[in-house]
């Protein structure tokens, strides 16, 4: 079963100068030539992606603050998402991602 620690240790966001391709998730995304990795395991979904901060904020909204450690800032206004959530929550997060990306393409 997928496990993630959802306890917020600090209210301060960490600054990260890591380039997107320097992380394990960034390398996996490049290796598979995709923009999102979705893994299902025992009723849970693991969402791994690198998105703009606006898209990350939209994906974070359905979690209502219970996402500490699942969103990490990267260089270039990107955020790395590594979230283990229930299947219904994954669907809400992916819908929010799609809606925000569509909104950003219109502008």
């Amino acid at each position: 079963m997928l496990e993630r620690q959802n306890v917020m240790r600090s209210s301060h966001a960490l600054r990260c100068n890591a380039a997107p391709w320097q992380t394990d998730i960034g390398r996996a995304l490049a290796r598979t030539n995709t923009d999102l990795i979705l893994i299902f395991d025992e009723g849970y979904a693991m969402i791994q992606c690198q998105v703009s901060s606006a898209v990350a904020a939209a994906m974070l909204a359905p979690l209502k603050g219970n996402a500490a450690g699942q969103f990490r800032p990267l260089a270039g206004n990107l955020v790395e998402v590594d979230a283990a959530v229930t299947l219904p929550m994954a669907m809400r997060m992916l819908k929010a991602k799609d809606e925000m990306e569509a909104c950003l393409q219109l502008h």
Side-chain angles (χ1 to χ4, degrees):
M1 178 149 102
L2 302 172
E3 294 181 22
R4 289 281 185 262
Q5 185 173 354
N6 291 326
V7 178
M8 186 111 171
R9 299 214 187 281
S10 171
S11 61
H12 302 289
L14 298 175
R15 295 205 62 129
C16 180
N17 293 325
W21 60 86
Q22 293 177 316
T23 68
D24 290 338
I25 291 174
R27 287 188 289 273
L29 291 168
R31 188 174 49 251
T32 58
N33 197 29
T34 60
D35 66 348
L36 183 129
I37 297 171
L38 183 60
I39 302 167
F40 297 101
D41 186 27
E42 296 182 17
Y44 288 88
M46 171 78 73
I47 299 174
Q48 297 177 326
C49 59
Q50 293 178 343
V51 295
S52 71
S53 59
V55 173
M59 292 176 73
L60 176 63
L63 297 174
K64 297 184 178 160
N66 295 319
Q70 296 183 16
F71 290 70
R72 286 180 293 283
L74 297 173
N77 197 34
L78 291 176
V79 176
E80 185 170 82
V81 178
D82 186 12
V85 295
T86 63
L87 295 177
M89 184 61 66
M91 295 300 294
R92 288 194 289 272
M93 290 175 69
L94 294 174
K95 182 178 179 186
K97 177 184 182 293
D98 288 342
E99 289 174 353
M100 180 55 75
E101 288 176 341
C103 180
L104 292 174
Q105 289 178 1
L106 292 176
H107 293 82

